[in-house]
Amino acid sequence: MVISISKLTGIDMAQSEESEAIVHAVSELNDDIQVRRMPGILRIESSTDIVIDASVVSRLLGREWHPDDMNLSIVSFFGEVKEWDDDEIIIGWSH
């Protein structure tokens, strides 16, 4: 008998204006997203890859946002960084 266990992918961020924009951007681009709001922390969870598109975050913030700016918001993540370049960040599981 083979039992399939789904691994959640997630990002914990310090609560801020940028983190809120990232949450909204992720929600626009990803169907299977759950957002948990805890004191001072925003958690994004998904059973699939989480894609953060820099142009969507920039549009929501009303100013330029670069994926490297994520380092100012991120507290932790679960999954693997599959891509982190000038246009987007993708966090998920390879297996």
Side-chain angles (χ1 to χ4, degrees):
M1 172 191 253
V2 176
I3 298 173
S4 175
I5 298 175
S6 176
K7 292 182 182 179
L8 285 179
T9 301
I11 305 169
D12 291 338
M13 297 176 291
Q15 200 163 19
S16 69
E17 177 186 5
E18 274 197 15
S19 295
E20 289 288 348
I22 292 166
V23 166
H24 290 291
V26 167
S27 296
E28 280 187 23
L29 297 172
N30 303 268
D31 293 331
D32 181 34
I33 295 295
Q34 293 182 357
V35 179
R36 292 180 49 200
R37 296 175 185 280
M38 299 170 272
I41 298 286
L42 295 173
R43 173 176 279 181
I44 302 170
E45 293 178 331
S46 177
S47 61
T48 60
D49 289 354
I50 295 174
V51 178
I52 304 169
D53 185 301
S55 64
V56 177
V57 178
S58 294
R59 176 178 51 81
L60 292 169
L61 282 172
R63 62 176 169 78
E64 188 67 27
W65 183 85
H66 190 275
D68 288 344
D69 297 338
M70 183 70 172
N71 290 314
L72 301 173
S73 299
I74 195 166
V75 173
S76 66
F77 66 94
F78 38 107
E80 301 169 1
V81 176
K82 295 171 96 175
E83 185 173 327
W84 190 309
D85 60 26
D86 289 342
D87 299 318
E88 68 184 0
I89 299 168
I90 301 174
I91 296 176
W93 292 102
S94 296
H95 302 53

